[in-house]
Amino acid sequence: MKTTFRALAFAVALTPAVAFTQAGKPTAATYITKEEVDTVNKEGQGTDRTIRVADIGTENFAVGIIHRGATAATAAAAAGRAGGAGRAGAAGGAGRSGAPVVTCGEQMATPPSTGGVPGLIAHNFQTEGYYIVSGGGTLITGGHIVNGRESPSPDINGPTCGGPTFGSDIVRKVVKAGDIIIIPAGVPHGWTDIGDHVDYLSFRPSPHILTAGYVHPTIKK
């Protein structure tokens, strides 16, 4: 029961007040059961799986379940991608798909050679809240992206910048089941030192980035 109440209180804290029974305003609640969360987490494809998206009036509110495996096997690949993004961002040109590279973050002809964190991302307009369900790892937040590049395709969090991140305000925090994190729009973030896995609920009060009424295919009836 404590877990349920904490998650509900967290969602309410992220959600702006919605007037009751005003014309054009939603008047019904949205329920997501534990069984639905478990089904999407078990059967859903990919890492970031949206469960449902509700219309809350001025915004939409999305809830998802995210599963990340151990980081040891992917750390080198992530570092390579981030380094490539930093170099490509500085040079401009085209990406692998041939589409023009859209640069973002602070642009520097000669980025720092040390002290950076590779592979972080920042969502331009999307605030996120995390509730750690199981597992854990080190969540890195803060700093500023240098010579980043925007996501090459629409992101479920809207326009997103990724690349190496620098700054004295970078925070590395070990998180575990039951912890809650709120990441405002524009704040770089990413994971490292995930042992076996980390699963977490994501709460996203969205400026209509995701479509209201969406239900994950695995729980559609």
Side-chain angles (χ1 to χ4, degrees), residues 36-173:
E36 289 176 327
V37 173
D38 291 343
T39 296
V40 173
N41 199 26
K42 180 180 179 180
E43 301 179 13
Q45 300 297 311
T47 297
D48 193 334
R49 288 75 53 89
T50 300
I51 302 171
R52 292 181 183 270
V53 182
D55 179 0
I56 58 172
T58 58
E59 296 183 308
N60 294 337
F61 194 95
V63 178
I65 181 73
I66 300 172
H67 171 80
R68 297 187 183 279
T71 53
T74 59
R81 287 195 301 270
R87 291 189 295 273
R96 291 183 181 180
S97 65
V101 171
V102 179
T103 59
C104 56
E106 181 181 353
Q107 298 301 300
M108 300 178 65
T110 307
S113 58
T114 60
V117 179
L120 299 194
I121 60 173
H123 309 306
N124 293 7
F125 309 111
Q126 180 66 75
T127 292
E128 292 185 284
Y130 297 162
Y131 179 82
I132 310 299
V133 174
S134 64
T138 300
L139 185 60
I140 306 174
T141 58
H144 60 278
I145 293 174
V146 172
N147 293 341
R149 66 194 332 176
E150 286 197 359
S151 300
S153 59
D155 188 279
I156 63 172
N157 290 293
T160 295
C161 183
T165 302
F166 299 83
S168 60
D169 57 337
I170 291 176
V171 174
R172 293 171 173 83
K173 179 76 173 179

